[in-house]
Amino acid sequence: MPRLDTVSVVKNAEVKRLDSSQIQIMGILNITPDSFSDGGNFLSAGSPDINRVIETAQEMVSDGATMIDVGGESTRPGADAVEESEELERVVPVIEALHKAISVPISIDTSKAGVMLAAVKSGARFINDVRALQAEGALECASKLGVPVCLMHMQGEPRSMQHKPEYVDVVQDVKSFLLERARDCEAAGIPRSHIVIDPGIGFGKSLEQNLSLLKHLSELVSSGLPVLVGVSRKSMIGAILDEPVDKRLYGSLALATAACLAGASIIRVHDVEATRDAVKVTEALMHAK
């Protein structure tokens, strides 16, 4: 499995490290009113509910999360764009509080250079960008910040990405895009060892295209770059099972297990405890003689 360089978080003069030898579980914390699954859970009168955020993040860490991904702008299909100032108001107080309250690395889920900068200054140690550092100033900013980055593939924009997405060959098209962005990152000064790639399940892909990407995930893994997969509670599971968001746990675990078997390095999830158990069993199988 490709390895990501150790991510360090300095807290009270003690260095907390991410064990890059195991599959990582990234817990999701969306500080938004409109994310498809947990929208509104951590906002009170438009401001972050810091106590609830800390309690939830600590529970996720206790359950097995090795990273916490904080986002302040929903990127679900049809989501409206958020101004940078509003995104900053949502995520900066949360990251500052979590930096003091938890012992695992904090990831910032954003595409905006200004948010990346403020988040890292506040304690974030990983950038997770659905636009693969293509927004104005994002690539230069990420390079200067010196933290690992995740580059995700998305066809189109959230407001329109699910309107008849088309590919010549979805697996090769996505792979080519991600490897090109990785080369651009290296040219900008980001070490290859700090680059993670994400096929962007559900971001401008039909059900069949999503399934094809997951079935052939090893194509991305073969690039030598660590692969992040986010399938938790997504609409493709709802389409297969005909179940609402709150009844997609088992489908999420099935896809997470398949991703691990294919070589994924990071699994991004809402349901940390259940995913932890699935990953542990999967790793035991993978390491069996």
Side-chain angles (χ1 to χ4, degrees):
M1 180 185 301
R3 293 170 62 91
L4 176 66
D5 265 9
T6 299
V7 180
S8 301
V9 176
V10 179
K11 179 188 175 190
N12 298 330
E14 181 182 0
V15 178
K16 302 292 183 180
R17 297 190 182 278
L18 176 66
D19 181 1
S20 59
S21 66
Q22 298 178 338
I23 296 170
Q24 303 301 311
I25 298 176
M26 175 184 277
I28 300 168
L29 271 180
N30 286 316
I31 317 301
T32 64
D34 56 346
S35 291
F36 80 92
S37 181
D38 58 351
N41 286 358
F42 303 106
L43 287 174
S44 178
S47 298
D49 185 338
I50 298 298
N51 289 334
R52 186 169 187 184
V53 166
I54 291 175
E55 180 182 354
T56 300
Q58 289 177 334
E59 183 178 353
M60 285 183 174
V61 173
S62 178
D63 286 344
T66 53
M67 304 175 71
I68 299 295
D69 193 37
V70 176
E73 179 179 21
S74 174
T75 51
R76 63 172 175 77
D80 293 327
V82 173
E83 292 295 328
E84 181 176 298
S85 59
E86 185 172 2
E87 190 174 343
L88 287 168
E89 289 174 1
R90 292 175 181 177
V91 301
V92 169
V94 166
I95 293 171
E96 290 176 342
L98 291 181
H99 184 52
K100 299 174 182 177
I102 62 175
S103 59
V104 302
I106 301 164
S107 165
I108 177 62
D109 179 359
T110 189
S111 297
K112 300 182 180 71
V115 178
M116 294 174 190
L117 176 61
V120 171
K121 284 185 175 181
S122 299
R125 292 295 178 268
F126 191 91
I127 295 170
N128 183 20
D129 186 1
V130 300
R131 292 179 174 81
L133 300 180
Q134 293 183 102
E136 183 178 358
L139 179 56
E140 181 182 9
C141 180
S143 176
K144 290 179 179 179
L145 290 172
V147 299
V149 300
C150 181
L151 311 171
M152 196 196 80
H153 176 276
M154 174 171 61
Q155 186 179 96
E157 295 290 327
R159 289 177 295 280
S160 60
M161 64 186 178
Q162 289 306 105
H163 181 65
K164 296 182 179 179
E166 295 183 2
Y167 298 86
V168 175
D169 179 323
V170 67
V171 176
Q172 293 305 317
D173 290 356
V174 169
K175 181 178 180 180
S176 295
F177 168 83
L178 291 173
L179 295 187
E180 181 178 354
R181 290 305 298 155
R183 288 190 292 270
D184 291 341
C185 286
E186 290 186 82
I190 299 175
R192 185 175 176 84
S193 59
H194 277 197
I195 300 172
V196 179
I197 55 175
D198 177 353
I201 301 300
F203 285 81
K205 285 101 178 171
S206 67
L207 173 58
E208 289 302 320
Q209 289 160 351
N210 286 321
L211 289 171
S212 184
L213 280 168
L214 287 167
K215 182 175 181 179
H216 300 285
L217 192 68
S218 59
E219 281 285 311
L220 292 183
V221 174
S222 69
S223 70
L225 293 167
V227 176
L228 182 152
V229 173
V231 290
S232 181
R233 303 182 186 176
K234 287 195 171 178
S235 60
M236 68 173 294
I237 300 168
I240 294 169
L241 302 178
D242 191 24
E243 292 285 8
V245 170
D246 60 351
K247 292 186 177 181
R248 297 176 187 172
L249 172 60
Y250 303 133
S252 298
L253 295 177
L255 291 182
T257 298
C260 290
L261 289 171
S265 295
I266 305 173
I267 306 295
R268 184 177 182 272
V269 300
H270 300 88
D271 305 288
V272 172
E273 185 176 24
T275 306
R276 175 203 66 198
D277 288 352
V279 168
K280 280 187 175 181
V281 172
T282 305
E283 286 187 310
L285 176 62
M286 293 168 66
H287 297 153
K289 295 182 180 179

